[in-house]
């Protein structure tokens, strides 16, 4: 008889490229406590828009999601819109940016910065 394995679902995923970029920024800033804050605000073409910021400090009600050296910080309001999403980092002709792949979004704008649920 085999034992049951525990599975803890991750509310957000972090791509390898995003993980590497966060680690590189931590090294550049010489700040091992630097975390990527991901949030949702009202506005944008589709009703809500994604935001990113780097944070040293976290609020008591923030959710921390650790991926090795990289950590995501999400506030309680944004959390509900981001569950199941993947945070990615891409570099291209249009520049470099973090972006969200959100399975909860029913529509998104052309640039992918705003969405509707």
């Amino acid at each position: 008889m085999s034992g049951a394995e525990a599975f803890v679902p991750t509310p957000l995923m972090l791509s390898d490229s995003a993980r590497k970029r966060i680690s590189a920024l931590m090294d550049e800033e010489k700040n091992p406590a630097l975390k990527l804050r991901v949030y949702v605000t009202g506005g944008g073409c589709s009703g809500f828009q994604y935001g990113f910021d780097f944070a040293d400090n976290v609020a008591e009600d923030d959710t921390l999601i650790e991926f090795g050296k990289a950590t995501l910080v999400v506030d309680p309001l944004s959390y509900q819109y981001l569950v199941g999403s993947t945070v990615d980092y891409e570099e291209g002709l249009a520049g470099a940016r973090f972006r969200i792949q959100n399975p909860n979004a029913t529509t998104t704008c052309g640039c992918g910065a705003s969405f509707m649920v």
Side-chain angles (χ1 to χ4, degrees):
M1 175 178 228
S2 65
E5 291 185 32
F7 174 73
V8 178
T10 303
L12 275 89
M13 297 301 296
L14 189 64
S15 72
D16 287 339
S17 61
R19 195 174 308 179
K20 288 176 186 173
R21 184 61 184 147
I22 293 168
S23 293
L25 289 167
M26 291 167 65
D27 293 341
E28 288 174 23
E29 295 294 320
K30 296 178 179 52
N31 184 354
L34 198 66
K35 297 165 184 55
L36 180 64
R37 180 175 293 281
V38 182
Y39 59 93
V40 173
T41 59
C45 322
S46 299
F48 295 103
Q49 60 188 5
Y50 301 112
F52 301 95
D53 194 9
F54 284 97
D56 292 322
N57 301 316
V58 297
E60 188 175 300
D61 59 349
D62 283 338
T63 298
L64 298 175
I65 307 164
E66 297 181 357
F67 298 91
K69 188 176 174 182
T71 302
L72 296 179
V73 180
V74 184
D75 65 85
L77 182 62
S78 299
Y79 184 91
Q80 63 188 328
Y81 297 108
L82 296 170
V83 169
S85 297
T86 299
V87 178
D88 192 17
Y89 179 77
E90 61 182 20
E91 293 181 12
L93 295 175
R97 67 182 178 147
F98 285 99
R99 60 185 287 259
I100 301 281
Q101 297 168 352
N102 188 342
N104 305 309
T106 56
T107 58
T108 59
C109 69
C111 68
S114 68
F115 68 102
M116 182 182 298
V117 290

